[in-house]
Amino acid sequence: MTALQHPASSTLKGLRRASVILVIVALAVCAVLGIVLLLAGAWGDTQGRVLVTAFVVALFATTALCHLAQVDRPLRAVGFAGIAASVLALVPALVLVWADWWTMGGDTAAWWWKSLAVLGILAGSLAQANLLLLLAGRRRSAVRIVLAITLVMIAVVAVMIWLPILSDGDIPGVDGEWYWRLFGVAAILDGLGTIVLPVLGLVLREAPAGFAVLALRGPESALPRLDALAAEDGSTRAQAAQALLLRGLEDR
C-alpha cells in the first residue's frame, strides 16, 4: 500500500522545488545574457538591469532554500521569519535596480538603501542560522554549546552592522576603533562556529533514540566468548553484548 502524503509536506516539497527551479533559471539567465553581451558587445542600460535582476532573484531564492530547510521542524518560526525577510529584502533590491534612484531625493534614496541593507543582512543572518539549527536536536553538549555561541555571534554581527547604518555613522562615531575590534572578534567567532559546528555534528555521533550509552569494564577473557556469540547470530560484538544485557535483565 502507498502511504498518503500529508498536504503540508506536499506543499513544502513544492516550495522547495520551485525555489530550486527559480535559482537555476535565474542563474541560467545571468549566464546566457552575460555571454551574449560579451560576444555581441552591445551593453545597454536595460540589459544591465536584467542581468542584475536575475542575479538578485537567484541570491534571495538561495536564502529562501536555507529558510525552507527549517519550516517542517520544531523551530519553524525562525524559518518562516527568514522567508519573510528574504521576500521583503527583494523589494528594495528590485526598486533600486529598476528605478533611477540617483534622481530621487536624498532622503528617499537613502531610505531604500538602508532598507536593503537592514533586510538583506537579516535575510542572510537567518539563512545562516536556519542551516545551523538543523543540529538543534543533537543531545551532545559540545554541539549544543557551540551552536548557542555561534547563534549569539550571528546576532551580534548583524546588530553591529545595523547600528552604523541606521544611525548614519553616529554609532560608533568618530572614535570607533574598539567598536570595530569587537566586531572583528564577533565575526571571527561567527565564522569559526559556522565551520566547526557541522564537523562536530559529523564526528560526535548520536546514540540511537531510546538507548543509553554505557561504558562497561569486564575481563578480557570474555571477549572471545562474546565474539563467538556474535558470529553465531551474525551480529557485531556490541549487538551481542546488548542482547546479553537485555536477556539478563529480563530474567531478573
Side-chain angles (χ1 to χ4, degrees), residues 46-68:
T46 302
Q47 292 88 340
R49 296 189 187 204
V50 172
L51 183 62
V52 175
T53 297
F55 177 77
V56 167
V57 170
L59 179 63
F60 284 107
T62 302
T63 63
L65 279 174
C66 300
H67 306 316
L68 286 170

Side-chain angles (χ1 to χ4, degrees), residues 193-194 201 233:
T194 302
D233 297 335

Side-chain angles (χ1 to χ4, degrees), residues 186-199:
I188 290 172
L189 292 176
D190 177 1
L192 181 63
T194 302
I195 295 171
V196 168
L197 193 58
V199 177

